[in-house]
Amino acid sequence: SQQGEEDPQALSIQEGENATMNCSYKTSINNLQWYRQNSGRGLVHLILIRSNEREKHSGRLRVTLDTSKKSSSLLITASRAADTASYFCATDHRDDKIIFGKGTRLHILP
Amino acid sequence: NAGVTQTPKFRVLKTGQSMTLLCAQDMNHEYMYWYRQDPGMGLRLIHYSVGEGTTAKGEVPDGYNVSRLKKQNFLLGLESAAPSQTSVYFCASSYYFQEQFFGPGTRLTVL
């Protein structure tokens, strides 16, 4: 079964608002990554957070990791139309696999 | 640099036919991956490789084979295609457990 599970499955917000999506996983991880996928394209890496980190920032992105709850969140501040995409979390494991969740579809309304 | 490239971009097969998908990367990455993406299913790992000459099974390996004879190439083979293998296939590479770089994908339809 897939390791990461994103929540919600879909999210629509007004341009300028903040978007928050969550990822939960089942077993211990080394790293957790977030990716974005525009329709019909390959995935693009956004941010990597290590298991010993609690928070990381990159531009308008803020990622948190709570290893005790086995969960992570991705916050996109001041959303723009170009942020419309699917967002995936990916977790890596001791057996070298990286497992992706099913993703959150984000739609930014004008 | 081209990054990660995939060949072909589109392909239509009949049930029972075979084909090979080619992935190439020019970033000298050790790790390479093959995923399939189906509507509502996210990405599922088919096979992966942690170095030249090595391969391992992912979440959904049945019906696929892979080879990594050269560090820069990772081939995915379908010996006898089935309609259930209709999907979009993505290849990715990474420097160990760092960010993965994805190719543009191959859209495969099996009739």
Short mmCIF file of all heavy atoms in Angstrom, two decimals, chain A residues 43-105:
data_model
loop_
_atom_site.label_atom_id
_atom_site.label_comp_id
_atom_site.label_asym_id
_atom_site.label_seq_id
_atom_site.Cartn_x
_atom_site.Cartn_y
_atom_site.Cartn_z
N LEU A 43 6.56 15.50 -12.56
CA LEU A 43 6.56 16.14 -11.24
C LEU A 43 7.78 17.03 -11.08
O LEU A 43 8.85 16.74 -11.61
CB LEU A 43 6.55 15.07 -10.14
CG LEU A 43 5.20 14.48 -9.79
CD1 LEU A 43 4.69 13.58 -10.88
CD2 LEU A 43 5.28 13.73 -8.46
N VAL A 44 7.59 18.08 -10.30
CA VAL A 44 8.68 19.01 -10.01
C VAL A 44 8.88 19.05 -8.51
O VAL A 44 7.91 19.22 -7.75
CB VAL A 44 8.36 20.42 -10.55
CG1 VAL A 44 9.42 21.41 -10.10
CG2 VAL A 44 8.24 20.40 -12.06
N HIS A 45 10.12 18.91 -8.09
CA HIS A 45 10.44 18.91 -6.66
C HIS A 45 10.25 20.29 -6.06
O HIS A 45 10.66 21.31 -6.64
CB HIS A 45 11.88 18.45 -6.48
CG HIS A 45 12.31 18.36 -5.05
ND1 HIS A 45 12.98 19.37 -4.40
CD2 HIS A 45 12.14 17.37 -4.15
CE1 HIS A 45 13.22 19.00 -3.17
NE2 HIS A 45 12.72 17.78 -2.98
N LEU A 46 9.61 20.34 -4.88
CA LEU A 46 9.41 21.61 -4.18
C LEU A 46 10.34 21.74 -2.98
O LEU A 46 11.03 22.75 -2.83
CB LEU A 46 7.95 21.72 -3.71
CG LEU A 46 6.89 21.79 -4.79
CD1 LEU A 46 5.50 21.80 -4.16
CD2 LEU A 46 7.09 23.01 -5.68
N ILE A 47 10.32 20.74 -2.11
CA ILE A 47 11.07 20.88 -0.87
C ILE A 47 11.29 19.50 -0.25
O ILE A 47 10.47 18.60 -0.40
CB ILE A 47 10.32 21.83 0.09
CG1 ILE A 47 11.23 22.39 1.17
CG2 ILE A 47 9.09 21.16 0.66
CD1 ILE A 47 10.63 23.60 1.87
N LEU A 48 12.40 19.34 0.43
CA LEU A 48 12.73 18.12 1.16
C LEU A 48 12.93 18.49 2.62
O LEU A 48 13.63 19.47 2.92
CB LEU A 48 13.99 17.48 0.59
CG LEU A 48 14.51 16.18 1.23
CD1 LEU A 48 15.27 15.34 0.21
CD2 LEU A 48 15.41 16.44 2.43
N ILE A 49 12.33 17.71 3.51
CA ILE A 49 12.51 17.93 4.94
C ILE A 49 13.00 16.62 5.55
O ILE A 49 12.45 15.55 5.27
CB ILE A 49 11.23 18.46 5.61
CG1 ILE A 49 11.51 18.84 7.07
CG2 ILE A 49 10.07 17.47 5.48
CD1 ILE A 49 10.40 19.68 7.68
N ARG A 50 14.04 16.70 6.33
CA ARG A 50 14.62 15.50 6.94
C ARG A 50 13.88 15.14 8.22
O ARG A 50 13.24 16.00 8.84
CB ARG A 50 16.11 15.70 7.20
CG ARG A 50 16.87 16.09 5.94
CD ARG A 50 18.36 16.09 6.13
NE ARG A 50 19.03 16.66 4.97
CZ ARG A 50 19.18 16.04 3.81
NH1 ARG A 50 18.73 14.80 3.68
NH2 ARG A 50 19.80 16.61 2.81
N SER A 51 14.03 13.92 8.64
CA SER A 51 13.27 13.46 9.81
C SER A 51 13.66 14.18 11.09
O SER A 51 12.88 14.21 12.05
CB SER A 51 13.46 11.94 9.99
OG SER A 51 14.83 11.63 10.17
N ASN A 52 14.85 14.80 11.12
CA ASN A 52 15.26 15.52 12.33
C ASN A 52 14.95 17.03 12.23
O ASN A 52 15.35 17.81 13.10
CB ASN A 52 16.75 15.33 12.60
CG ASN A 52 17.62 15.84 11.46
OD1 ASN A 52 17.12 16.25 10.42
ND2 ASN A 52 18.93 15.82 11.68
N GLU A 53 14.23 17.43 11.19
CA GLU A 53 13.82 18.82 11.03
C GLU A 53 12.33 18.93 11.33
O GLU A 53 11.55 18.00 11.09
CB GLU A 53 14.11 19.31 9.60
CG GLU A 53 15.59 19.33 9.27
CD GLU A 53 15.85 19.74 7.84
OE1 GLU A 53 15.18 19.19 6.92
OE2 GLU A 53 16.74 20.59 7.63
N ARG A 54 11.91 20.10 11.79
CA ARG A 54 10.50 20.30 12.15
C ARG A 54 9.81 21.26 11.20
O ARG A 54 8.59 21.21 11.02
CB ARG A 54 10.40 20.81 13.58
CG ARG A 54 10.81 19.79 14.60
CD ARG A 54 9.88 18.59 14.57
NE ARG A 54 10.41 17.48 15.34
CZ ARG A 54 11.01 16.43 14.80
NH1 ARG A 54 11.17 16.37 13.47
NH2 ARG A 54 11.46 15.46 15.55
N GLU A 55 10.59 22.15 10.61
CA GLU A 55 9.98 23.14 9.73
C GLU A 55 11.01 23.59 8.70
O GLU A 55 12.21 23.67 8.99
CB GLU A 55 9.52 24.35 10.55
CG GLU A 55 8.71 25.37 9.80
CD GLU A 55 8.11 26.41 10.72
OE1 GLU A 55 7.51 26.02 11.74
OE2 GLU A 55 8.23 27.60 10.42
N LYS A 56 10.51 23.89 7.49
CA LYS A 56 11.39 24.36 6.44
C LYS A 56 10.64 25.33 5.55
O LYS A 56 9.43 25.15 5.32
CB LYS A 56 11.91 23.19 5.63
CG LYS A 56 13.24 23.44 4.97
CD LYS A 56 13.88 22.13 4.59
CE LYS A 56 15.26 22.36 4.00
NZ LYS A 56 15.93 21.10 3.65
N HIS A 57 11.33 26.35 5.06
CA HIS A 57 10.71 27.36 4.22
C HIS A 57 11.42 27.42 2.88
O HIS A 57 12.62 27.20 2.78
CB HIS A 57 10.80 28.73 4.89
CG HIS A 57 10.05 28.83 6.17
ND1 HIS A 57 8.85 29.49 6.28
CD2 HIS A 57 10.33 28.34 7.40
CE1 HIS A 57 8.43 29.41 7.54
NE2 HIS A 57 9.31 28.72 8.22
N SER A 58 10.64 27.75 1.85
CA SER A 58 11.20 28.00 0.54
C SER A 58 10.26 28.96 -0.17
O SER A 58 9.20 28.57 -0.65
CB SER A 58 11.35 26.72 -0.27
OG SER A 58 11.84 27.00 -1.57
N GLY A 59 10.63 30.23 -0.23
CA GLY A 59 9.76 31.23 -0.86
C GLY A 59 8.42 31.30 -0.15
O GLY A 59 8.34 31.52 1.06
N ARG A 60 7.33 31.06 -0.89
CA ARG A 60 5.99 31.09 -0.30
C ARG A 60 5.57 29.73 0.29
O ARG A 60 4.42 29.57 0.70
CB ARG A 60 4.97 31.51 -1.38
CG ARG A 60 5.15 32.93 -1.88
CD ARG A 60 4.06 33.32 -2.89
NE ARG A 60 4.14 32.52 -4.11
CZ ARG A 60 3.23 31.65 -4.49
NH1 ARG A 60 2.15 31.41 -3.75
NH2 ARG A 60 3.38 30.98 -5.62
N LEU A 61 6.47 28.80 0.30
CA LEU A 61 6.16 27.47 0.81
C LEU A 61 6.69 27.30 2.23
O LEU A 61 7.79 27.72 2.55
CB LEU A 61 6.79 26.40 -0.07
CG LEU A 61 6.48 26.43 -1.55
CD1 LEU A 61 7.19 25.29 -2.26
CD2 LEU A 61 4.99 26.36 -1.79
N ARG A 62 5.85 26.65 3.06
CA ARG A 62 6.29 26.30 4.40
C ARG A 62 5.88 24.86 4.65
O ARG A 62 4.72 24.51 4.50
CB ARG A 62 5.65 27.22 5.44
CG ARG A 62 5.90 26.81 6.88
CD ARG A 62 5.31 27.81 7.85
NE ARG A 62 5.30 27.30 9.22
CZ ARG A 62 4.21 26.88 9.85
NH1 ARG A 62 3.04 26.90 9.25
NH2 ARG A 62 4.30 26.43 11.09
N VAL A 63 6.85 24.05 5.02
CA VAL A 63 6.58 22.64 5.30
C VAL A 63 6.90 22.36 6.76
O VAL A 63 7.91 22.82 7.28
CB VAL A 63 7.44 21.74 4.38
CG1 VAL A 63 7.37 20.28 4.85
CG2 VAL A 63 6.97 21.83 2.95
N THR A 64 6.00 21.62 7.40
CA THR A 64 6.26 21.16 8.75
C THR A 64 6.24 19.64 8.78
O THR A 64 5.62 18.99 7.94
CB THR A 64 5.20 21.69 9.73
OG1 THR A 64 3.92 21.21 9.33
CG2 THR A 64 5.20 23.21 9.76
N LEU A 65 6.94 19.09 9.74
CA LEU A 65 6.99 17.65 9.91
C LEU A 65 6.85 17.32 11.37
O LEU A 65 7.57 17.87 12.21
CB LEU A 65 8.32 17.10 9.37
CG LEU A 65 8.54 15.59 9.51
CD1 LEU A 65 7.51 14.81 8.70
CD2 LEU A 65 9.96 15.21 9.08
N ASP A 66 5.91 16.44 11.69
CA ASP A 66 5.71 15.96 13.05
C ASP A 66 5.89 14.45 13.03
O ASP A 66 4.96 13.71 12.66
CB ASP A 66 4.31 16.35 13.54
CG ASP A 66 4.09 16.03 15.01
OD1 ASP A 66 4.78 15.11 15.54
OD2 ASP A 66 3.24 16.67 15.64
N THR A 67 7.05 14.00 13.41
CA THR A 67 7.34 12.56 13.33
C THR A 67 6.57 11.77 14.39
O THR A 67 6.31 10.58 14.19
CB THR A 67 8.85 12.29 13.49
OG1 THR A 67 9.31 12.93 14.68
CG2 THR A 67 9.62 12.83 12.30
N SER A 68 6.18 12.42 15.48
CA SER A 68 5.41 11.71 16.50
C SER A 68 4.00 11.38 16.00
O SER A 68 3.43 10.36 16.36
CB SER A 68 5.32 12.53 17.79
OG SER A 68 4.58 13.72 17.59
N LYS A 69 3.48 12.26 15.15
CA LYS A 69 2.15 12.04 14.57
C LYS A 69 2.25 11.44 13.17
O LYS A 69 1.23 11.17 12.53
CB LYS A 69 1.37 13.35 14.50
CG LYS A 69 1.04 13.94 15.86
CD LYS A 69 0.24 15.22 15.70
CE LYS A 69 -0.11 15.81 17.07
NZ LYS A 69 -0.87 17.09 16.95
N LYS A 70 3.48 11.27 12.68
CA LYS A 70 3.68 10.76 11.33
C LYS A 70 2.89 11.58 10.32
O LYS A 70 2.08 11.04 9.53
CB LYS A 70 3.33 9.27 11.24
CG LYS A 70 4.27 8.38 12.04
CD LYS A 70 3.98 6.91 11.81
CE LYS A 70 5.04 6.03 12.43
NZ LYS A 70 5.18 6.23 13.89
N SER A 71 3.10 12.87 10.34
CA SER A 71 2.37 13.74 9.43
C SER A 71 3.21 14.95 9.04
O SER A 71 4.14 15.35 9.75
CB SER A 71 1.06 14.19 10.06
OG SER A 71 1.31 15.04 11.15
N SER A 72 2.86 15.51 7.90
CA SER A 72 3.52 16.70 7.39
C SER A 72 2.46 17.61 6.78
O SER A 72 1.40 17.14 6.34
CB SER A 72 4.54 16.32 6.32
OG SER A 72 5.09 17.47 5.69
N SER A 73 2.73 18.90 6.75
CA SER A 73 1.82 19.82 6.08
C SER A 73 2.61 20.73 5.15
O SER A 73 3.77 21.06 5.42
CB SER A 73 1.04 20.65 7.10
OG SER A 73 1.92 21.52 7.78
N LEU A 74 1.95 21.10 4.07
CA LEU A 74 2.50 22.05 3.10
C LEU A 74 1.59 23.26 3.08
O LEU A 74 0.39 23.13 2.81
CB LEU A 74 2.59 21.43 1.71
CG LEU A 74 2.93 22.38 0.56
CD1 LEU A 74 4.35 22.93 0.71
CD2 LEU A 74 2.78 21.67 -0.79
N LEU A 75 2.14 24.42 3.36
CA LEU A 75 1.39 25.67 3.33
C LEU A 75 1.92 26.51 2.17
O LEU A 75 3.13 26.74 2.06
CB LEU A 75 1.57 26.43 4.65
CG LEU A 75 1.07 27.88 4.67
CD1 LEU A 75 -0.44 27.93 4.54
CD2 LEU A 75 1.53 28.58 5.94
N ILE A 76 1.00 26.94 1.32
CA ILE A 76 1.34 27.88 0.24
C ILE A 76 0.68 29.20 0.60
O ILE A 76 -0.55 29.28 0.70
CB ILE A 76 0.85 27.39 -1.13
CG1 ILE A 76 1.40 26.00 -1.44
CG2 ILE A 76 1.24 28.38 -2.23
CD1 ILE A 76 0.84 25.38 -2.72
N THR A 77 1.46 30.23 0.81
CA THR A 77 0.89 31.52 1.19
C THR A 77 0.64 32.39 -0.05
O THR A 77 1.28 32.23 -1.09
CB THR A 77 1.84 32.27 2.13
OG1 THR A 77 3.09 32.48 1.46
CG2 THR A 77 2.09 31.46 3.40
N ALA A 78 -0.33 33.27 0.08
CA ALA A 78 -0.65 34.23 -0.98
C ALA A 78 -0.75 33.53 -2.33
O ALA A 78 0.00 33.85 -3.27
CB ALA A 78 0.39 35.34 -1.02
N SER A 79 -1.69 32.60 -2.45
CA SER A 79 -1.76 31.75 -3.64
C SER A 79 -1.97 32.56 -4.92
O SER A 79 -2.55 33.66 -4.91
CB SER A 79 -2.89 30.74 -3.47
OG SER A 79 -4.13 31.42 -3.35
N ARG A 80 -1.48 31.98 -6.00
CA ARG A 80 -1.59 32.57 -7.33
C ARG A 80 -2.22 31.57 -8.28
O ARG A 80 -2.21 30.37 -8.03
CB ARG A 80 -0.20 32.95 -7.84
CG ARG A 80 0.59 33.84 -6.93
CD ARG A 80 2.04 33.91 -7.38
NE ARG A 80 2.85 34.75 -6.49
CZ ARG A 80 4.18 34.83 -6.53
NH1 ARG A 80 4.84 34.11 -7.44
NH2 ARG A 80 4.83 35.61 -5.69
N ALA A 81 -2.71 32.04 -9.39
CA ALA A 81 -3.32 31.16 -10.38
C ALA A 81 -2.34 30.07 -10.82
O ALA A 81 -2.72 28.92 -11.06
CB ALA A 81 -3.79 31.96 -11.59
N ALA A 82 -1.06 30.43 -10.89
CA ALA A 82 -0.04 29.47 -11.33
C ALA A 82 0.19 28.34 -10.34
O ALA A 82 0.85 27.34 -10.67
CB ALA A 82 1.28 30.19 -11.59
N ASP A 83 -0.35 28.47 -9.13
CA ASP A 83 -0.21 27.40 -8.13
C ASP A 83 -1.20 26.27 -8.37
O ASP A 83 -1.13 25.22 -7.71
CB ASP A 83 -0.43 27.96 -6.72
CG ASP A 83 0.65 28.94 -6.31
OD1 ASP A 83 1.81 28.80 -6.79
OD2 ASP A 83 0.34 29.87 -5.54
N THR A 84 -2.16 26.48 -9.27
CA THR A 84 -3.10 25.42 -9.61
C THR A 84 -2.34 24.21 -10.14
O THR A 84 -1.64 24.30 -11.15
CB THR A 84 -4.12 25.90 -10.67
OG1 THR A 84 -4.94 26.90 -10.08
CG2 THR A 84 -4.97 24.76 -11.16
N ALA A 85 -2.46 23.08 -9.43
CA ALA A 85 -1.69 21.89 -9.76
C ALA A 85 -2.07 20.79 -8.77
O ALA A 85 -2.88 21.01 -7.87
CB ALA A 85 -0.18 22.16 -9.66
N SER A 86 -1.49 19.62 -8.94
CA SER A 86 -1.61 18.56 -7.95
C SER A 86 -0.32 18.53 -7.14
O SER A 86 0.77 18.71 -7.69
CB SER A 86 -1.84 17.21 -8.62
OG SER A 86 -3.11 17.15 -9.22
N TYR A 87 -0.48 18.27 -5.85
CA TYR A 87 0.67 18.26 -4.94
C TYR A 87 0.76 16.89 -4.28
O TYR A 87 -0.23 16.35 -3.80
CB TYR A 87 0.52 19.37 -3.89
CG TYR A 87 0.62 20.74 -4.50
CD1 TYR A 87 -0.48 21.32 -5.11
CD2 TYR A 87 1.83 21.44 -4.51
CE1 TYR A 87 -0.39 22.57 -5.72
CE2 TYR A 87 1.93 22.69 -5.09
CZ TYR A 87 0.82 23.24 -5.70
OH TYR A 87 0.92 24.48 -6.30
N PHE A 88 1.97 16.36 -4.28
CA PHE A 88 2.21 15.02 -3.76
C PHE A 88 3.29 15.05 -2.68
O PHE A 88 4.28 15.77 -2.81
CB PHE A 88 2.70 14.08 -4.87
CG PHE A 88 1.72 13.86 -5.97
CD1 PHE A 88 1.68 14.71 -7.07
CD2 PHE A 88 0.84 12.79 -5.93
CE1 PHE A 88 0.78 14.50 -8.10
CE2 PHE A 88 -0.06 12.57 -6.95
CZ PHE A 88 -0.10 13.43 -8.04
N CYS A 89 3.08 14.24 -1.65
CA CYS A 89 4.17 14.01 -0.71
C CYS A 89 4.80 12.66 -1.05
O CYS A 89 4.15 11.77 -1.60
CB CYS A 89 3.71 14.04 0.73
SG CYS A 89 2.63 12.68 1.24
N ALA A 90 6.07 12.54 -0.75
CA ALA A 90 6.81 11.31 -1.02
C ALA A 90 7.70 11.00 0.18
O ALA A 90 8.37 11.89 0.70
CB ALA A 90 7.65 11.45 -2.28
N THR A 91 7.67 9.75 0.61
CA THR A 91 8.46 9.35 1.77
C THR A 91 9.46 8.28 1.37
O THR A 91 9.16 7.43 0.53
CB THR A 91 7.54 8.79 2.87
OG1 THR A 91 6.66 7.81 2.30
CG2 THR A 91 6.71 9.89 3.49
N ASP A 92 10.63 8.34 1.94
CA ASP A 92 11.62 7.31 1.62
C ASP A 92 11.82 6.37 2.80
O ASP A 92 11.53 6.70 3.95
CB ASP A 92 12.94 7.91 1.15
CG ASP A 92 13.69 8.63 2.24
OD1 ASP A 92 13.69 8.18 3.41
OD2 ASP A 92 14.31 9.64 1.92
N HIS A 93 12.25 5.17 2.49
CA HIS A 93 12.29 4.08 3.45
C HIS A 93 13.66 3.44 3.46
O HIS A 93 14.46 3.62 2.57
CB HIS A 93 11.23 3.03 3.07
CG HIS A 93 9.88 3.61 2.94
ND1 HIS A 93 8.94 3.50 3.92
CD2 HIS A 93 9.31 4.34 1.95
CE1 HIS A 93 7.85 4.12 3.53
NE2 HIS A 93 8.04 4.63 2.34
N ARG A 94 13.88 2.65 4.45
CA ARG A 94 15.18 2.01 4.61
C ARG A 94 15.49 1.05 3.48
O ARG A 94 16.64 0.71 3.27
CB ARG A 94 15.23 1.28 5.95
CG ARG A 94 15.17 2.24 7.14
CD ARG A 94 15.44 1.54 8.45
NE ARG A 94 15.35 2.49 9.57
CZ ARG A 94 14.24 2.73 10.24
NH1 ARG A 94 13.13 2.10 9.91
NH2 ARG A 94 14.22 3.59 11.24
N ASP A 95 14.46 0.58 2.73
CA ASP A 95 14.72 -0.34 1.63
C ASP A 95 14.93 0.41 0.31
O ASP A 95 14.79 -0.18 -0.75
CB ASP A 95 13.59 -1.35 1.50
CG ASP A 95 12.24 -0.68 1.29
OD1 ASP A 95 12.18 0.56 1.25
OD2 ASP A 95 11.25 -1.40 1.15
N ASP A 96 15.23 1.67 0.37
CA ASP A 96 15.56 2.50 -0.79
C ASP A 96 14.36 2.91 -1.63
O ASP A 96 14.52 3.59 -2.62
CB ASP A 96 16.59 1.83 -1.70
CG ASP A 96 17.92 1.60 -1.00
OD1 ASP A 96 18.26 2.42 -0.15
OD2 ASP A 96 18.58 0.61 -1.31
N LYS A 97 13.17 2.51 -1.25
CA LYS A 97 12.01 2.91 -2.04
C LYS A 97 11.57 4.31 -1.65
O LYS A 97 11.70 4.71 -0.49
CB LYS A 97 10.83 1.96 -1.80
CG LYS A 97 11.06 0.55 -2.29
CD LYS A 97 9.86 -0.32 -1.94
CE LYS A 97 10.11 -1.77 -2.30
NZ LYS A 97 8.99 -2.63 -1.88
N ILE A 98 11.05 5.03 -2.62
CA ILE A 98 10.38 6.30 -2.35
C ILE A 98 8.94 6.13 -2.79
O ILE A 98 8.69 5.80 -3.94
CB ILE A 98 11.05 7.47 -3.07
CG1 ILE A 98 12.46 7.70 -2.48
CG2 ILE A 98 10.22 8.73 -2.94
CD1 ILE A 98 13.19 8.85 -3.06
N ILE A 99 8.02 6.34 -1.89
CA ILE A 99 6.60 6.08 -2.14
C ILE A 99 5.83 7.40 -2.15
O ILE A 99 5.96 8.21 -1.23
CB ILE A 99 6.01 5.14 -1.07
CG1 ILE A 99 6.83 3.84 -1.00
CG2 ILE A 99 4.55 4.85 -1.38
CD1 ILE A 99 6.82 3.03 -2.26
N PHE A 100 5.03 7.57 -3.19
CA PHE A 100 4.21 8.76 -3.34
C PHE A 100 2.79 8.52 -2.86
O PHE A 100 2.26 7.41 -2.98
CB PHE A 100 4.17 9.19 -4.80
CG PHE A 100 5.43 9.88 -5.27
CD1 PHE A 100 6.55 9.14 -5.58
CD2 PHE A 100 5.47 11.25 -5.38
CE1 PHE A 100 7.71 9.76 -6.00
CE2 PHE A 100 6.62 11.88 -5.81
CZ PHE A 100 7.74 11.13 -6.12
N GLY A 101 2.16 9.58 -2.38
CA GLY A 101 0.74 9.52 -2.06
C GLY A 101 -0.09 9.79 -3.30
O GLY A 101 0.43 9.94 -4.40
N LYS A 102 -1.41 9.86 -3.11
CA LYS A 102 -2.33 10.04 -4.24
C LYS A 102 -2.48 11.50 -4.64
O LYS A 102 -3.04 11.79 -5.68
CB LYS A 102 -3.69 9.44 -3.91
CG LYS A 102 -3.65 7.93 -3.71
CD LYS A 102 -5.03 7.37 -3.42
CE LYS A 102 -4.96 5.87 -3.22
NZ LYS A 102 -6.31 5.29 -2.95
N GLY A 103 -2.04 12.41 -3.80
CA GLY A 103 -2.02 13.81 -4.18
C GLY A 103 -3.24 14.61 -3.75
O GLY A 103 -4.31 14.07 -3.48
N THR A 104 -3.03 15.92 -3.68
CA THR A 104 -4.09 16.90 -3.46
C THR A 104 -4.19 17.76 -4.70
O THR A 104 -3.19 18.33 -5.14
CB THR A 104 -3.78 17.79 -2.25
OG1 THR A 104 -3.85 17.02 -1.05
CG2 THR A 104 -4.78 18.94 -2.15
N ARG A 105 -5.39 17.85 -5.26
CA ARG A 105 -5.60 18.73 -6.43
C ARG A 105 -5.99 20.11 -5.93
O ARG A 105 -7.04 20.27 -5.30
CB ARG A 105 -6.69 18.16 -7.34
CG ARG A 105 -6.32 16.82 -7.97
CD ARG A 105 -7.37 16.40 -9.00
NE ARG A 105 -8.72 16.41 -8.46
CZ ARG A 105 -9.25 15.46 -7.72
NH1 ARG A 105 -8.52 14.39 -7.41
NH2 ARG A 105 -10.50 15.55 -7.28
#
